Amino acid sequence: MVNIVEIKNLTKFYEKGTVKALNGIDLTIEQGEFVAITGPSGSGKSTLLNMIGALDRADGGKVIVDGHDLLSEKDLSSFRSQTMGFVFQLHNLLPFLSSLENVELPTYELKISSVERRNRALDLLKSVGLDDRSGFSPTKLSGGERQRVAVARALVNNPSIILADEPTGSLDSRASDEVLKLLVDLHERENVTLIIVTHDLNVANLAERQIEVLDGKVIDLKNS
Ligand SMILES: Nc1ncnc2c1ncn2[C@@H]1O[C@H](COP(=O)(O)OP(=O)(O)O)[C@@H](O)[C@H]1O
Ligand SMILES: [Mg+2]
């Protein structure tokens, strides 16, 4: 088994060290695992996800993701765009672009043709059931539809890891089920590593493994 995430004694402090958001995390995740991260508000879940996704740098310890040492990696943005797909609680789509253009956006980090760009984005919008909305601004879509566009955007560069931070946190139960199904299907079909932060135990129970973050440390809960 290949470890796609290897974290050792990871620390991340804010406010000149007075806020110890991550306080010595040890965590290993295998390629293709589906892991749910739970824990109370403020315990460090988003900070941990941001470290794995190279959205921010750690203060100490070791973070190796897909073979890259993130504390010394020079080009974090190119690493991110080639390895990671992000889905946030709020979709973070750009309102002045169409849904199709939003999905295409991450592909500008890759050297691919405009035809390839468009085809990939269209295929993904189709796979989330929104090809008939490709020209719409996200402001004209429902919350669930927006989040499905956000999932399509997360997948457009064929990531090996999907990081989802409360992806269903602002959706009703039907939209939430649809978005989850997309993520879980993808994980099952393409063996993508799926890491979801959630406070919803129904979501967490779908995962193969649950870990809890408490006061900046990790506790393994269920490992099936
Ligand atoms: N940019 C920041 N500046 C200062 N403190 C922060 C920042 N981001 C998070 N924190 C603090 O770090 C701790 C962990 O936050 P976070 O990872 O967002 O928790 P969670 O996602 O589990 O709710 C909290 O005490 C939070 O207030
Ligand atoms: Mg959070």
Side-chain angles (χ1 to χ4, degrees):
M1 278 295 177
V2 179
N3 289 334
I4 197 155
V5 175
E6 272 186 59
I7 293 177
K8 291 216 177 78
N9 200 22
L10 165 66
T11 51
K12 177 69 182 176
F13 302 147
Y14 293 112
E15 307 296 320
K16 303 195 175 106
T18 55
V19 177
K20 296 183 166 46
L22 300 178
N23 200 3
I25 298 255
D26 293 306
L27 176 66
T28 304
I29 296 174
E30 283 174 7
Q31 185 167 356
E33 258 194 302
F34 173 8
V35 182
I37 302 179
T38 60
S41 170
S43 59
K45 304 180 298 294
S46 294
T47 307
L48 175 59
L49 219 59
N50 290 347
M51 297 295 124
I52 296 171
L55 288 169
D56 200 357
R57 284 209 197 250
D59 289 318
K62 210 170 199 180
V63 184
I64 298 175
V65 181
D66 205 16
H68 297 253
D69 182 340
L70 298 192
L71 270 83
S72 59
E73 176 72 38
K74 294 221 166 50
D75 191 352
L76 286 181
S77 89
S78 120
F79 161 78
R80 260 197 315 270
S81 56
Q82 283 166 32
T83 313
M84 299 289 167
F86 296 95
V87 183
F88 301 97
Q89 176 170 6
L90 297 171
H91 50 80
N92 293 356
L93 299 170
L94 299 177
F96 49 84
L97 297 181
S98 70
S99 298
L100 182 67
E101 288 163 338
N102 268 286
V103 176
E104 284 182 349
L105 213 51
T107 67
Y108 285 89
E109 293 275 342
L110 310 182
K111 289 193 177 71
I112 59 173
S113 71
S114 52
V115 175
E116 163 84 11
R117 219 184 282 299
R118 182 115 317 180
N119 286 342
R120 273 200 204 186
L122 271 175
D123 281 351
L124 279 165
L125 276 179
K126 201 172 204 170
S127 73
V128 302
L130 288 174
D131 40 328
D132 58 340
R133 298 286 197 280
S134 64
F136 286 39
S137 154
T139 57
K140 304 240 167 99
L141 303 178
S142 72
E145 288 171 338
R146 282 180 204 156
Q147 200 61 315
R148 278 147 61 199
V149 174
V151 170
R153 179 187 54 182
L155 302 185
V156 74
N157 287 352
N158 297 320
S160 36
I161 308 182
I162 304 272
L163 299 175
D165 196 347
E166 303 274 8
T168 61
S170 52
L171 302 180
D172 62 38
S173 67
R174 185 165 149 238
S176 164
D177 286 348
E178 283 172 2
V179 166
L180 273 174
K181 188 169 183 323
L182 287 172
L183 293 173
V184 174
D185 281 354
L186 181 88
H187 158 73
E188 286 173 353
R189 208 176 50 237
E190 309 206 13
N191 204 34
V192 171
T193 308
L194 179 57
I195 307 175
I196 301 188
V197 168
T198 184
H199 61 260
D200 184 339
L201 288 182
N202 294 323
V203 177
N205 282 330
L206 291 175
E208 296 152 354
R209 174 173 165 209
Q210 283 178 38
I211 63 173
E212 186 172 14
V213 178
L214 265 185
D215 295 332
K217 295 201 184 264
V218 156
I219 302 170
D220 247 290
L221 291 180
K222 171 188 117 183
N223 209 337
S224 63

